[in-house]
Amino acid sequence: MRINGRIGALVAALAVTGVAAGAAAGAHRADPGITKTSIKIGGTFPLTGVASLYKTIPAAEKAYYDYVNAHGGVNGRKIDFEILDDAYDPSKTVPLVQQLVEKDKVFAVVGSLGTAPGLATWGYLNSKKVPQVLLATGDSYWGFCVKKACAGSPKPWTSGWQPDYPGEGKVYGRYIAANMPNAKIGVLYQNDAYGKNYYAGLRVGLGAKKENIVDAESYDVTNPSLTQQILALKSKGADVFVVFATPSPTITALVTAAKVGWSPTTFINNVSANRLFLLAAAANGANVDGVISTTYVASPTTQPDLPGMKLAKQIIDQYAPSLASSFAQGDTNIVYGLGVAWTFVHALQKAGRNPTRASLMKALHSLNTSKNPFVYPGIKLQTSENDNFPIEQEIMIRWSGGARGDWHPFGKLLSGVR
Amino acid sequence: MATVETRPARLRRDLPQWLRALVRPVPLGLAAACVFLVVGSLLSNDFAQQTVAGLAQGTIFGSLALALVLIYRATEVINFAQGEMAMATTYVAYQLISWGLSYWEAFFATLVVAFVFGVVVQVVFIRPVQHTSVIAVVIVTVGLFILIDGLVTWKWGADLKFMPAPFGKTVYHVGGVAFAQQDLGTLLVSVLSVLLLWALFRFTKLGLAMRAAALRPASARLVGVRVDRMLAIGWGFAAVLGAVAGLMAEPAQYVLQPSLMQPILLYAFAAAVLGGLESPAGAVVGGIALGVFLNLVGQYVGFVTSELRLPFAFAVLLVVLLVKPAGLFGRARVRRV
């Protein structure tokens, strides 16, 4: 009996260990948030607050996932996308991301918006080995830190999507140096990392022509108007006006320039080049014809016949009808959201029949496709172990048609934008 | 009692009555500043341009500063919610316009709404705590700031909204200087509303009662002034002025968002303190001075970049207050101990 009892205890112990080992093996095979039929992801976005005009981005992403789910999901798994509102405030992002990881058990954090919110959470997510992918910000940290130690350690679980800001700044610099070698350049930039990175890129792109910068004025949130800065630029004789700002100051700058009787050749950054903003500026008297910017997504208004834009219209009409009117007016943020969601689905398909967090990252670090229907035709999404910038191509665009006008692409597709 | 007569005082005594009022440091300084601005504007187009833009901006600071002063006189606190109240009433105008009213119909309707809003705020939130302590009232106004901001974001959202331009987009060119119709309009509306309010306080019985209720509540009550009602009406007029400031600030930024008045409130505080917190004229002059000063400093003082403009303005403010602690127009308070 005693022996039997011992054997029984031993068997029981073995059984327990076996179960535990089995469970561990199971956990190893399937990361949190993924089952046979579903995959849970989430992201933080500014649905309210200063940056809330970007709220169409997550709405478009959700519409794309709903479309994919209605067509059978990815390898039979339906994507469940949780959108949380951090109001663009990093102190709110941190607890929300912890909630996503620890309470909601997401497989990955996808598409979260904003540089500061991204930086506030990348340490945490990388230490937990949770993918923080396709961040909606153009800072260069996400691309450079896969192997390089940033803020103390490499960040292999983080990835961006769009071209980076300094690269875009270089595009304008090179264009001005080549086409307007005698220009007198006046710059208005937001007084933070965002504006300064753009400005630094512009100076690199200008090369020796950076001596043509006659004045650079900055502004910050304590400025109740931009009239003083714009008058200063005008008085220095600038005939090229480069604006590195978020949308509402960009609108203010365009209208103010017209108001003080200044009509330079104006460049604005991609972030503020949504057609809706230019229409608003024009309605208030801004002289928008000839304004130059760049894009990397297709336009619903100038390229409505592209297969990607037809698909976009179909998806928006069916799964996010509340976005239909701003899509029809050329809200490129919606196209941006669709493009990001397409990239996530593409990476998930590449990550194998039973994706893990590691295989997702591997897929994102080896992108090589020109099939994304929502980016500008010809743009390729490409990454490698050493290059984590998915999009490095842009096309320049110029506005014509005044208050009812639109952006029109010109020149050839530019490569190596970073 | 022997008084020591200083030399300037003796000089002043010998002047005729009408001149005597002017020969004081503050009016003299302001007159000199005006001459400086006019001469500068005649000599340089850039100077003229910055001055005009500064005047337009300054009258917006001045309107809101005046609203702060009116409430300070009535309630003895700074109303931290003044800017947000102005922002909320601007959203009311936005709503009225989107319902089909023309800009100016919406403008005047909004002023009425603002008046009622100000009265209600005083009656519901301020009156119950008014006699407890100053700190309590201050905390209530800070609470109102957060509450109003939250309610507006909840109702209208925080994305950019656009209102029609009230003054047209014409730009007049006079000798190389561009005058935007909009800047001139802002100037006109702000100055006009301040003048109307001044006339109301100065020449009407209601104005007299309101001044009495604010400055000598006990005596006013004894002669039959309904002090509580007058204080509420004072809040109403302050809200009307704030609404004018908000409605004029929106076309200066071309977009409407909940943060509309936050930077402006900061400058309005400074303008009110500069002018002397108890002086309505001081608030307006302070606002205009600040607007013009900031623009000219940005243009001509090289080291004062965007980061330094606000600190620099406050450093100057500090110097002024060291010399004249009660502000330019304030009277030093004398207390018998």
Side-chain angles (χ1 to χ4, degrees), chain A residues 50 52 79 101 103 109 111 134 141 156 162 168 173 213 265 270 305 324 334 353 382 399:
Chain A
V50 286
S52 60
I79 298 170
V101 172
K103 179 164 158 280
V109 174
L134 307 175
Y141 310 104
Q162 69 205 60
E168 189 192 332
I213 298 177
T265 304
N270 165 274
D305 296 329
I334 295 173
R353 280 208 70 80
Q382 206 166 19
W399 186 276

PDB file of all heavy atoms in Angstrom, chain A residues 50 52 79 101 103 109 111 134 141 156 162 168 173 213 265 270 305 324 334 353 382 399:
ATOM      1  N   VAL A  50      -6.215  67.788 -29.269  1.00  0.00           N
ATOM      2  CA  VAL A  50      -5.601  68.615 -30.310  1.00  0.00           C
ATOM      3  C   VAL A  50      -5.396  67.915 -31.647  1.00  0.00           C
ATOM      4  O   VAL A  50      -5.442  68.553 -32.690  1.00  0.00           O
ATOM      5  CB  VAL A  50      -4.231  69.174 -29.852  1.00  0.00           C
ATOM      6  CG1 VAL A  50      -4.414  70.267 -28.843  1.00  0.00           C
ATOM      7  CG2 VAL A  50      -3.332  68.077 -29.340  1.00  0.00           C
ATOM      8  N   SER A  52      -7.189  65.395 -32.921  1.00  0.00           N
ATOM      9  CA  SER A  52      -8.307  64.487 -33.200  1.00  0.00           C
ATOM     10  C   SER A  52      -8.719  64.465 -34.664  1.00  0.00           C
ATOM     11  O   SER A  52      -9.510  63.626 -35.057  1.00  0.00           O
ATOM     12  CB  SER A  52      -9.506  64.857 -32.334  1.00  0.00           C
ATOM     13  OG  SER A  52      -9.900  66.173 -32.620  1.00  0.00           O
ATOM     14  N   ILE A  79      -9.912  39.369 -37.575  1.00  0.00           N
ATOM     15  CA  ILE A  79      -9.116  40.376 -36.864  1.00  0.00           C
ATOM     16  C   ILE A  79     -10.043  41.235 -36.000  1.00  0.00           C
ATOM     17  O   ILE A  79     -11.010  41.807 -36.491  1.00  0.00           O
ATOM     18  CB  ILE A  79      -8.350  41.273 -37.857  1.00  0.00           C
ATOM     19  CG1 ILE A  79      -7.367  40.419 -38.663  1.00  0.00           C
ATOM     20  CG2 ILE A  79      -7.625  42.395 -37.125  1.00  0.00           C
ATOM     21  CD1 ILE A  79      -6.735  41.148 -39.822  1.00  0.00           C
ATOM     22  N   VAL A 101      -2.087  45.203 -23.351  1.00  0.00           N
ATOM     23  CA  VAL A 101      -1.204  44.043 -23.230  1.00  0.00           C
ATOM     24  C   VAL A 101      -1.656  43.129 -22.097  1.00  0.00           C
ATOM     25  O   VAL A 101      -1.753  41.910 -22.264  1.00  0.00           O
ATOM     26  CB  VAL A 101       0.250  44.505 -23.012  1.00  0.00           C
ATOM     27  CG1 VAL A 101       1.150  43.313 -22.690  1.00  0.00           C
ATOM     28  CG2 VAL A 101       0.751  45.247 -24.237  1.00  0.00           C
ATOM     29  N   LYS A 103      -4.525  43.318 -19.858  1.00  0.00           N
ATOM     30  CA  LYS A 103      -5.925  42.977 -19.614  1.00  0.00           C
ATOM     31  C   LYS A 103      -6.570  42.408 -20.875  1.00  0.00           C
ATOM     32  O   LYS A 103      -7.167  41.340 -20.845  1.00  0.00           O
ATOM     33  CB  LYS A 103      -6.670  44.228 -19.142  1.00  0.00           C
ATOM     34  CG  LYS A 103      -8.140  44.003 -18.873  1.00  0.00           C
ATOM     35  CD  LYS A 103      -8.742  45.139 -18.055  1.00  0.00           C
ATOM     36  CE  LYS A 103     -10.251  45.228 -18.223  1.00  0.00           C
ATOM     37  NZ  LYS A 103     -10.667  45.905 -19.474  1.00  0.00           N
ATOM     38  N   VAL A 109       0.365  45.563 -30.920  1.00  0.00           N
ATOM     39  CA  VAL A 109      -0.143  46.935 -30.932  1.00  0.00           C
ATOM     40  C   VAL A 109       0.130  47.474 -32.340  1.00  0.00           C
ATOM     41  O   VAL A 109       1.273  47.532 -32.780  1.00  0.00           O
ATOM     42  CB  VAL A 109       0.563  47.791 -29.863  1.00  0.00           C
ATOM     43  CG1 VAL A 109       0.147  49.249 -29.985  1.00  0.00           C
ATOM     44  CG2 VAL A 109       0.242  47.253 -28.471  1.00  0.00           C
ATOM     45  N   GLY A 111      -0.415  50.305 -35.423  1.00  0.00           N
ATOM     46  CA  GLY A 111      -0.834  51.569 -36.024  1.00  0.00           C
ATOM     47  C   GLY A 111      -0.955  52.741 -35.074  1.00  0.00           C
ATOM     48  O   GLY A 111      -1.407  53.803 -35.480  1.00  0.00           O
ATOM     49  N   LEU A 134       3.914  49.377 -37.350  1.00  0.00           N
ATOM     50  CA  LEU A 134       3.261  50.289 -38.289  1.00  0.00           C
ATOM     51  C   LEU A 134       2.796  51.559 -37.592  1.00  0.00           C
ATOM     52  O   LEU A 134       1.701  52.060 -37.827  1.00  0.00           O
ATOM     53  CB  LEU A 134       2.091  49.576 -38.991  1.00  0.00           C
ATOM     54  CG  LEU A 134       2.469  48.242 -39.646  1.00  0.00           C
ATOM     55  CD1 LEU A 134       1.237  47.564 -40.205  1.00  0.00           C
ATOM     56  CD2 LEU A 134       3.504  48.438 -40.737  1.00  0.00           C
ATOM     57  N   TYR A 141      13.131  57.327 -35.497  1.00  0.00           N
ATOM     58  CA  TYR A 141      13.511  56.354 -34.455  1.00  0.00           C
ATOM     59  C   TYR A 141      13.108  54.934 -34.842  1.00  0.00           C
ATOM     60  O   TYR A 141      13.846  53.985 -34.656  1.00  0.00           O
ATOM     61  CB  TYR A 141      12.830  56.687 -33.131  1.00  0.00           C
ATOM     62  CG  TYR A 141      12.959  58.106 -32.695  1.00  0.00           C
ATOM     63  CD1 TYR A 141      11.898  58.982 -32.812  1.00  0.00           C
ATOM     64  CD2 TYR A 141      14.151  58.571 -32.150  1.00  0.00           C
ATOM     65  CE1 TYR A 141      12.008  60.292 -32.396  1.00  0.00           C
ATOM     66  CE2 TYR A 141      14.270  59.886 -31.739  1.00  0.00           C
ATOM     67  CZ  TYR A 141      13.190  60.746 -31.865  1.00  0.00           C
ATOM     68  OH  TYR A 141      13.311  62.039 -31.462  1.00  0.00           O
ATOM     69  N   PRO A 156      13.804  45.965 -31.382  1.00  0.00           N
ATOM     70  CA  PRO A 156      13.469  45.112 -32.532  1.00  0.00           C
ATOM     71  C   PRO A 156      11.969  44.841 -32.676  1.00  0.00           C
ATOM     72  O   PRO A 156      11.542  44.328 -33.701  1.00  0.00           O
ATOM     73  CB  PRO A 156      14.232  43.818 -32.238  1.00  0.00           C
ATOM     74  CG  PRO A 156      14.367  43.801 -30.757  1.00  0.00           C
ATOM     75  CD  PRO A 156      14.493  45.236 -30.328  1.00  0.00           C
ATOM     76  N   GLN A 162       5.485  55.014 -42.694  1.00  0.00           N
ATOM     77  CA  GLN A 162       5.590  56.071 -43.698  1.00  0.00           C
ATOM     78  C   GLN A 162       7.038  56.560 -43.846  1.00  0.00           C
ATOM     79  O   GLN A 162       7.881  56.271 -43.002  1.00  0.00           O
ATOM     80  CB  GLN A 162       4.684  57.235 -43.298  1.00  0.00           C
ATOM     81  CG  GLN A 162       5.156  57.996 -42.072  1.00  0.00           C
ATOM     82  CD  GLN A 162       3.998  58.705 -41.358  1.00  0.00           C
ATOM     83  OE1 GLN A 162       3.058  58.079 -40.910  1.00  0.00           O
ATOM     84  NE2 GLN A 162       4.092  60.006 -41.257  1.00  0.00           N
ATOM     85  N   GLU A 168      11.749  63.701 -46.008  1.00  0.00           N
ATOM     86  CA  GLU A 168      10.828  64.549 -46.768  1.00  0.00           C
ATOM     87  C   GLU A 168      11.384  65.979 -46.854  1.00  0.00           C
ATOM     88  O   GLU A 168      11.292  66.621 -47.902  1.00  0.00           O
ATOM     89  CB  GLU A 168       9.454  64.535 -46.092  1.00  0.00           C
ATOM     90  CG  GLU A 168       8.374  65.209 -46.917  1.00  0.00           C
ATOM     91  CD  GLU A 168       7.100  65.434 -46.111  1.00  0.00           C
ATOM     92  OE1 GLU A 168       6.829  64.661 -45.168  1.00  0.00           O
ATOM     93  OE2 GLU A 168       6.383  66.405 -46.423  1.00  0.00           O
ATOM     94  N   GLY A 173      14.381  70.440 -50.074  1.00  0.00           N
ATOM     95  CA  GLY A 173      15.678  71.101 -50.191  1.00  0.00           C
ATOM     96  C   GLY A 173      16.299  70.865 -51.557  1.00  0.00           C
ATOM     97  O   GLY A 173      16.735  71.799 -52.234  1.00  0.00           O
ATOM     98  N   ILE A 213      18.843  80.548 -47.260  1.00  0.00           N
ATOM     99  CA  ILE A 213      17.810  80.723 -46.237  1.00  0.00           C
ATOM    100  C   ILE A 213      17.992  82.112 -45.622  1.00  0.00           C
ATOM    101  O   ILE A 213      18.991  82.358 -44.938  1.00  0.00           O
ATOM    102  CB  ILE A 213      17.898  79.636 -45.157  1.00  0.00           C
ATOM    103  CG1 ILE A 213      17.666  78.260 -45.783  1.00  0.00           C
ATOM    104  CG2 ILE A 213      16.879  79.892 -44.040  1.00  0.00           C
ATOM    105  CD1 ILE A 213      17.806  77.101 -44.816  1.00  0.00           C
ATOM    106  N   THR A 265       6.465  81.356 -53.419  1.00  0.00           N
ATOM    107  CA  THR A 265       6.227  79.946 -53.746  1.00  0.00           C
ATOM    108  C   THR A 265       6.251  79.176 -52.429  1.00  0.00           C
ATOM    109  O   THR A 265       7.241  79.217 -51.709  1.00  0.00           O
ATOM    110  CB  THR A 265       7.336  79.415 -54.672  1.00  0.00           C
ATOM    111  OG1 THR A 265       7.389  80.261 -55.811  1.00  0.00           O
ATOM    112  CG2 THR A 265       7.050  77.992 -55.088  1.00  0.00           C
ATOM    113  N   ASN A 270       3.872  67.044 -45.957  1.00  0.00           N
ATOM    114  CA  ASN A 270       2.853  66.049 -46.269  1.00  0.00           C
ATOM    115  C   ASN A 270       1.765  65.941 -45.199  1.00  0.00           C
ATOM    116  O   ASN A 270       0.577  65.817 -45.500  1.00  0.00           O
ATOM    117  CB  ASN A 270       3.551  64.693 -46.469  1.00  0.00           C
ATOM    118  CG  ASN A 270       2.580  63.547 -46.445  1.00  0.00           C
ATOM    119  OD1 ASN A 270       2.247  63.030 -45.392  1.00  0.00           O
ATOM    120  ND2 ASN A 270       2.086  63.182 -47.610  1.00  0.00           N
ATOM    121  N   ASP A 305      -9.825  56.396 -60.651  1.00  0.00           N
ATOM    122  CA  ASP A 305      -9.958  55.204 -61.478  1.00  0.00           C
ATOM    123  C   ASP A 305      -8.953  54.114 -61.150  1.00  0.00           C
ATOM    124  O   ASP A 305      -9.004  53.030 -61.724  1.00  0.00           O
ATOM    125  CB  ASP A 305      -9.831  55.587 -62.961  1.00  0.00           C
ATOM    126  CG  ASP A 305     -10.974  56.508 -63.372  1.00  0.00           C
ATOM    127  OD1 ASP A 305     -12.071  56.361 -62.780  1.00  0.00           O
ATOM    128  OD2 ASP A 305     -10.765  57.373 -64.244  1.00  0.00           O
ATOM    129  N   ALA A 324     -17.624  58.448 -45.706  1.00  0.00           N
ATOM    130  CA  ALA A 324     -17.768  58.530 -47.165  1.00  0.00           C
ATOM    131  C   ALA A 324     -17.635  59.956 -47.684  1.00  0.00           C
ATOM    132  O   ALA A 324     -16.995  60.190 -48.704  1.00  0.00           O
ATOM    133  CB  ALA A 324     -19.097  57.918 -47.592  1.00  0.00           C
ATOM    134  N   ILE A 334      -7.716  58.817 -44.732  1.00  0.00           N
ATOM    135  CA  ILE A 334      -8.480  57.572 -44.857  1.00  0.00           C
ATOM    136  C   ILE A 334      -7.695  56.562 -45.690  1.00  0.00           C
ATOM    137  O   ILE A 334      -7.569  55.387 -45.330  1.00  0.00           O
ATOM    138  CB  ILE A 334      -9.859  57.860 -45.486  1.00  0.00           C
ATOM    139  CG1 ILE A 334     -10.681  58.732 -44.534  1.00  0.00           C
ATOM    140  CG2 ILE A 334     -10.587  56.570 -45.813  1.00  0.00           C
ATOM    141  CD1 ILE A 334     -11.985  59.221 -45.120  1.00  0.00           C
ATOM    142  N   ARG A 353       1.101  29.955 -41.201  1.00  0.00           N
ATOM    143  CA  ARG A 353      -0.273  29.522 -40.907  1.00  0.00           C
ATOM    144  C   ARG A 353      -0.639  29.801 -39.456  1.00  0.00           C
ATOM    145  O   ARG A 353      -1.772  30.103 -39.137  1.00  0.00           O
ATOM    146  CB  ARG A 353      -0.458  28.023 -41.197  1.00  0.00           C
ATOM    147  CG  ARG A 353      -0.667  27.725 -42.670  1.00  0.00           C
ATOM    148  CD  ARG A 353      -1.501  26.464 -42.874  1.00  0.00           C
ATOM    149  NE  ARG A 353      -2.907  26.660 -42.479  1.00  0.00           N
ATOM    150  CZ  ARG A 353      -3.804  27.273 -43.261  1.00  0.00           C
ATOM    151  NH1 ARG A 353      -3.462  27.736 -44.438  1.00  0.00           N
ATOM    152  NH2 ARG A 353      -5.055  27.411 -42.841  1.00  0.00           N
ATOM    153  N   GLN A 382       9.383  47.962 -48.715  1.00  0.00           N
ATOM    154  CA  GLN A 382      10.583  47.143 -48.690  1.00  0.00           C
ATOM    155  C   GLN A 382      11.319  47.334 -47.372  1.00  0.00           C
ATOM    156  O   GLN A 382      11.578  48.470 -46.963  1.00  0.00           O
ATOM    157  CB  GLN A 382      11.497  47.573 -49.839  1.00  0.00           C
ATOM    158  CG  GLN A 382      12.401  46.498 -50.319  1.00  0.00           C
ATOM    159  CD  GLN A 382      13.020  46.863 -51.669  1.00  0.00           C
ATOM    160  OE1 GLN A 382      13.057  48.025 -52.070  1.00  0.00           O
ATOM    161  NE2 GLN A 382      13.517  45.864 -52.361  1.00  0.00           N
ATOM    162  N   TRP A 399      -0.555  72.168 -56.137  1.00  0.00           N
ATOM    163  CA  TRP A 399      -1.978  72.492 -56.133  1.00  0.00           C
ATOM    164  C   TRP A 399      -2.317  73.396 -57.306  1.00  0.00           C
ATOM    165  O   TRP A 399      -1.609  74.361 -57.586  1.00  0.00           O
ATOM    166  CB  TRP A 399      -2.347  73.201 -54.830  1.00  0.00           C
ATOM    167  CG  TRP A 399      -3.817  73.446 -54.668  1.00  0.00           C
ATOM    168  CD1 TRP A 399      -4.541  74.495 -55.163  1.00  0.00           C
ATOM    169  CD2 TRP A 399      -4.743  72.621 -53.963  1.00  0.00           C
ATOM    170  NE1 TRP A 399      -5.859  74.357 -54.805  1.00  0.00           N
ATOM    171  CE2 TRP A 399      -6.021  73.222 -54.070  1.00  0.00           C
ATOM    172  CE3 TRP A 399      -4.638  71.421 -53.255  1.00  0.00           C
ATOM    173  CZ2 TRP A 399      -7.167  72.677 -53.490  1.00  0.00           C
ATOM    174  CZ3 TRP A 399      -5.783  70.881 -52.675  1.00  0.00           C
ATOM    175  CH2 TRP A 399      -7.017  71.510 -52.792  1.00  0.00           C
TER     176      TRP A 399
END
